[in-house]
């Protein structure tokens, strides 16, 4: 579908997809996917973003009735914009000030506060229990990074879980429209984020899902679930 090149006779940004209408549902679906990818690529090149990985692992706790659940958050450096480091003077991983873990959502006080990453770059929290439980993760970024706090309403799992959240910061072309039409944001569903002044952005990640969060919109954060069933590449 790209055989005509950037200035091909069919127009439509150098793609034959502009002439796909009426070719049949399968071809039109392929063209729609190609166009979404093109829009996503243009937006990625013109925006600043930070990628986080979250989830939990499990290990034996030393007793027959309990399992140790290790919840974690880390920055995926290779998927994080160089501008994050350039603007803040920090490495991507050092943008995090602290991670708060709360297994009692009815109380504001966190169960644990982690202020530094381990040798693998993980801000992690261990807790042994005889069943799974909620584990709210609040990531607080350093003020100079310009990133609002992120709250992940998570529930630990009896199997290892690893998902990602990409936060796209406001930029001159941040509204270019991933997954939608032309210049608008298009349909963004389901909406799984809330923004509260002073508290940042909260995401519902139970069940866990990969997400792309676009900040700076007039209607609050826009959230795009990203193919949660696709295995993640190694980090």
């Amino acid at each position: 579908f790209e055989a005509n090149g950037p200035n091909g006779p069919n127009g439509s940004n150098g793609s034959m997809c502009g002439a796909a209408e009426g070719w049949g549902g399968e071809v039109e679906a392929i063209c729609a996917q190609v166009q979404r990818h093109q829009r996503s690529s243009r937006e990625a090149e013109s925006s600043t973003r930070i990628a986080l990985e979250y989830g939990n692992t499990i290990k034996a706790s030393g007793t027959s009735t309990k399992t140790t659940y290790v919840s974690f958050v880390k920055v995926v450096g290779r998927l994080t914009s160089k501008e994050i480091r350039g603007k803040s003077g920090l490495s991507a991983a050092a943008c995090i000030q602290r991670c708060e873990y709360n297994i009692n959502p009815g109380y504001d006080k966190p169960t644990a506060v982690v202020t530094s990453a381990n040798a693998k770059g993980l801000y992690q929290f261990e807790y042994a229990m005889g069943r799974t439980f909620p584990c709210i993760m609040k990531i607080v970024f350093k003020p100079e990074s310009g990133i609002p706090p992120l709250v992940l309403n998570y529930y630990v799992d009896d199997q290892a879980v690893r998902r990602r959240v990409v936060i796209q910061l406001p930029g001159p072309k941040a509204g270019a429209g991933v997954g939608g039409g032309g210049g608008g944001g298009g349909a963004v569903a389901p909406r799984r984020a809330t923004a509260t002044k002073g508290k940042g952005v909260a995401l519902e990640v139970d069940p866990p899902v990969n997400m792309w969060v676009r900040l700076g919109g007039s209607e609050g954060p826009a959230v795009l679930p990203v193919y949660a069933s696709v295995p993640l590449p190694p980090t």
Side-chain angles (χ1 to χ4, degrees):
F1 291 97
E2 295 295 330
N4 289 328
N7 298 306
N10 288 301
S12 187
N13 297 323
S15 172
M16 290 181 66
C17 285
E21 186 175 355
W23 285 8
E26 184 176 350
V27 173
E28 291 178 9
I30 293 173
C31 285
Q33 185 176 2
V34 170
Q35 290 165 349
R36 284 195 299 270
H37 174 73
Q38 291 172 337
R39 287 195 297 271
S40 299
S41 298
R42 288 194 297 269
E43 184 169 4
E45 292 172 357
S46 63
S47 63
T48 302
R49 62 206 173 279
I50 182 169
L52 302 174
E53 193 165 274
Y54 73 93
N56 73 268
T57 58
I58 57 172
K59 63 181 182 180
S61 65
T63 71
S64 60
T65 59
K66 291 185 178 181
T67 299
T68 297
Y69 299 89
V70 185
S71 304
F72 67 87
V73 171
K74 68 174 291 186
V75 175
V76 185
R78 64 187 181 82
L79 298 179
T80 297
S81 299
K82 294 180 180 179
E83 289 81 0
I84 293 289
R85 297 188 294 271
K87 291 179 180 179
S88 64
L90 303 171
S91 67
C95 287
I96 293 179
Q97 186 176 69
R98 67 181 184 275
C99 287
E100 300 177 0
Y101 294 90
N102 189 355
I103 66 171
N104 297 299
Y107 296 89
D108 290 335
K109 184 177 180 180
T111 308
V113 178
V114 181
T115 57
S116 60
N118 64 15
K120 295 183 178 180
L122 302 172
Y123 290 78
Q124 68 179 30
F125 162 66
E126 297 187 12
Y127 200 85
M129 192 176 286
R131 59 174 175 81
T132 58
F133 52 87
C135 185
I136 311 303
M137 308 176 186
K138 182 178 181 179
I139 302 100
V140 179
F141 299 92
K142 293 188 176 180
E144 55 266 42
S145 72
I147 306 170
L150 179 68
V151 178
L152 301 176
N153 292 319
Y154 182 68
Y155 209 99
V156 298
D157 198 285
D158 281 325
Q159 298 181 352
V161 173
R162 187 162 56 94
R163 297 290 187 272
R164 288 177 183 166
V165 175
V166 176
I167 304 174
Q168 180 175 308
L169 303 182
K173 298 181 180 179
V178 173
V188 179
R191 190 180 184 86
R192 298 162 61 105
T194 57
T196 304
K197 187 175 182 180
K199 294 187 178 180
V201 177
L203 296 179
E204 298 297 331
V205 291
D206 176 27
V209 63
N210 299 320
M211 284 189 168
W212 186 292
V213 182
R214 182 192 291 122
L215 301 179
S218 59
E219 299 181 358
V223 181
L224 295 165
V226 186
Y227 307 113
S229 61
V230 177
L232 293 174
T235 57

